[in-house]
Amino acid sequence: MTQPRSMTGRTVLVTGGTGGIGKATAAGLAAMGARVAITGRDRERAEAAAREIRADRGEPVEVFVGDMSAQAEVRRLAAEVLAALPRLDVLVNNVGGYWNTRHVTADGLERMFALNHLAPFLLTHLLIDRLVQSAPARVVTVSSDAQRLGRIEFGDLEGERSWSAQRAYNQSKLANVMFTYELARRLRGTGVTATVLHPGVVRSGFGAEDPGRIQRLITPFMRFLKSPEQGARTSIHLASSPEVEGVTGQFFADSKPRRSSRRSYDEAAALRLWEVSAELVGLDAGTAGRLGPARRDAS
């Protein structure tokens, strides 16, 4: 088990750290001695969360504000992170959302795909040099067991032809897993690992802005779901535990490795998703080249 102050001297960035699993993850890592930074859409809410975490540990918690569904905001936020944090030992890609109605972002992209997949894809690219410089370092991405029902619809990635909120969410969570596996392949030998997780079904405000049928159905059973603190345990484990030092390209649930969906192991589809994602976020050849071509074993 991870010891209470085992993260002393390490710097962690948790996206979507103003509530729910993200805030509990940030608080848990701060309690272990980490220097913690969080991101949030709303400055007032983000600073209130930082004050709560700070009250428990007595040290400042950095706050970075931005709507990560917008690529300009991700780029600005990344620049602020690089200016403020001279090292970055762990990036926890926690931010995500669910909307029953199809929304379009400032970039003209479907919001769930943009926030749940493209935002961590872009942010990780923009911060990867700092992670490599800080190695051994870790990228931890929060997915969901909804990935088991997901399929990457390359012909209709953004649900323009046929919209289903649940299908879009499942796809975005599968994309998280495939991104992580491809990232792990590309980061071999750098000292930076990439893992992905299912936090469990947690009682939080997730999906409350525009709830679908599933969110409405589970509302009466909220008290039986995991608390945010319980939901954060796997994220904290992957960010901090010596047990997973050097472990990369794996899916976890309840702090243990698990097999993800059959589709998630399709390397050709993962490479295609990577290339499509790079184009959608406007990564030029130089930026994308920082992660280089995937290193695949000869068959």
Side-chain angles (χ1 to χ4, degrees):
M1 181 177 290
T2 304
Q3 296 303 308
R5 303 299 290 180
S6 62
M7 292 294 286
T8 299
R10 297 186 185 180
T11 302
V12 180
L13 174 65
V14 181
T15 66
T18 61
I21 296 169
K23 181 180 171 185
T25 299
L29 293 169
M32 294 177 187
R35 177 185 181 184
V36 170
I38 61 172
T39 77
R41 267 188 310 171
D42 179 81
R43 178 168 296 280
E44 186 175 338
R45 187 180 177 201
E47 290 181 347
R51 284 194 297 272
E52 288 183 37
I53 298 168
R54 184 181 303 147
D56 292 336
R57 65 180 293 224
E59 295 180 29
V61 173
E62 276 104 336
V63 169
F64 300 97
V65 178
D67 178 357
M68 293 185 66
S69 70
Q71 292 172 22
E73 297 270 304
V74 175
R75 291 176 182 277
R76 177 186 54 76
L77 190 149
E80 291 176 0
V81 168
L82 292 173
L85 305 180
R87 64 177 298 116
L88 184 59
D89 300 276
V90 184
L91 168 62
V92 182
N93 287 316
N94 171 83
V95 73
Y98 181 101
W99 294 272
N100 192 52
T101 308
R102 188 178 184 276
H103 297 260
V104 176
T105 70
D107 304 298
L109 300 169
E110 189 277 311
R111 191 176 184 183
M112 251 189 293
F113 191 71
L115 181 64
N116 294 358
H117 168 60
L118 293 177
F121 179 87
L122 177 57
L123 183 66
T124 302
H125 271 81
L126 297 175
L127 298 181
I128 197 64
D129 286 349
R130 185 61 45 87
L131 286 156
V132 171
Q133 292 163 8
S134 306
R138 306 179 187 189
V139 178
V140 178
T141 299
V142 180
S143 178
S144 162
D145 246 6
Q147 55 87 22
R148 298 191 184 280
L149 301 174
R151 180 189 297 269
I152 307 297
E153 300 286 355
F154 286 106
D156 192 22
L157 272 177
E158 300 179 56
E160 293 175 285
R161 298 177 189 169
S162 174
W163 172 255
S164 160
Q166 193 60 54
R167 189 168 65 234
Y169 181 74
N170 297 346
Q171 175 183 251
S172 72
K173 295 291 100 179
L174 174 59
N176 290 154
V177 181
M178 296 174 75
F179 161 62
T180 295
Y181 293 170
E182 182 70 9
L183 181 65
R185 287 187 282 269
R186 290 168 181 260
L187 288 175
R188 287 176 190 160
T190 65
V192 181
T193 59
T195 52
V196 61
L197 67 110
H198 168 53
V201 183
V202 176
R203 57 178 183 268
S204 69
F206 187 78
E209 287 180 26
D210 183 9
R213 185 169 58 91
I214 291 178
Q215 282 77 19
R216 289 191 292 267
L217 284 173
I218 66 173
T219 298
F221 305 100
M222 280 289 192
R223 67 182 182 278
F224 300 112
L225 305 182
K226 282 185 176 182
S227 68
E229 290 72 24
Q230 290 170 323
R233 286 175 184 169
T234 303
S235 295
I236 293 170
H237 175 75
L238 292 176
S240 65
S241 176
E243 294 175 18
V244 291
E245 183 70 46
V247 174
T248 193
Q250 290 193 31
F251 181 83
F252 283 76
D254 293 323
S255 300
K256 298 186 183 304
R258 297 280 190 267
R259 290 284 295 178
S260 52
S261 72
R262 177 180 54 81
R263 292 190 183 97
S264 69
Y265 296 102
D266 184 336
E267 292 191 20
L271 179 57
R272 185 180 178 188
L273 177 64
W274 184 281
E275 292 171 344
V276 169
S277 301
E279 183 176 353
L280 287 172
V281 300
L283 286 176
D284 59 33
T287 303
R290 291 176 192 169
L291 289 174
R295 303 175 188 176
R296 289 177 167 79
D297 297 329
S299 55

